[in-house]
């Protein structure tokens, strides 16, 4: 069975092969495989979450059909795009207490960086 990290890397590499522009955008995003259980009896449902900074959210969101198709080809139910900057700035969010590692990774994604020439 493939681990979550391997599936995420495979998702990124397949998406990059399909569209090089999307691959460039995903360099500045955090991609995570989310496991959830639904129904009675509980059934595992997996989807990819692509957390992007506010400046790139619209660009990444334009490729959501390609991301969803890539996820389905890998046997994962869906792929969603989320704005990392909005999540960490939300005063009602409890993410810092529930998942501090993800909260720090979203901070890292949201900080604007400048490419060196």
């Amino acid at each position: 069975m493939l681990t979550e990290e391997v599936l995420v890397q495979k998702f990124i590499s397949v998406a990059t092969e399909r569209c090089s522009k999307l691959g460039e955008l995903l360099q500045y995003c955090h991609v995570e495989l989310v496991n959830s259980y639904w129904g009675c009896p509980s059934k595992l449902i997996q989807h990819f979450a692509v957390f992007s900074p506010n400046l790139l959210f619209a660009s990444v969101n334009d490729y959501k059909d390609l991301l969803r198709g890539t996820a389905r080809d890998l046997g994962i139910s869906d792929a969603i795009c989320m704005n990392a900057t909005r999540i960490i700035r939300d005063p009602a969010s409890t993410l810092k207490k529930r998942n501090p590692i993800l909260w720090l990774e979203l901070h890292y994604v949201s900080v604007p960086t400048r490419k060196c020439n």
Side-chain angles (χ1 to χ4, degrees), residues 41-104:
S42 297
K43 180 181 176 186
L44 174 66
I45 299 173
Q46 295 179 313
H47 63 273
F48 288 107
V50 179
F51 298 97
S52 60
N54 194 33
L55 297 172
L56 297 179
F57 180 71
S59 300
V60 173
N61 204 28
D62 289 341
Y63 292 102
K64 67 183 170 187
D65 292 332
L66 181 70
L67 292 169
R68 287 180 177 159
T70 303
R72 289 188 183 119
D73 289 345
L74 291 174
I76 306 299
S77 65
D78 203 2
I80 58 171
C81 301
M82 300 186 77
N83 190 331
T85 308
R86 281 187 136 182
I87 292 171
I88 61 172
R89 290 188 179 167
D90 183 9
S93 174
T94 60
L95 182 64
K96 185 176 181 179
K97 291 180 183 177
R98 285 185 296 121
N99 194 344
I101 294 172
L102 177 60
W103 185 76
L104 286 173

Side-chain angles (χ1 to χ4, degrees), residues 11-44:
F11 174 73
I12 293 171
S13 66
V14 171
T16 302
E17 287 175 10
R18 291 183 178 182
C19 180
S20 60
K21 178 65 177 165
L22 178 59
E24 293 172 11
L25 292 172
L26 288 177
Q27 290 178 358
Y28 301 102
C29 299
H30 175 71
V31 181
E32 190 167 296
L33 182 65
V34 179
N35 298 317
S36 59
Y37 295 91
W38 184 259
C40 186
S42 297
K43 180 181 176 186
L44 174 66

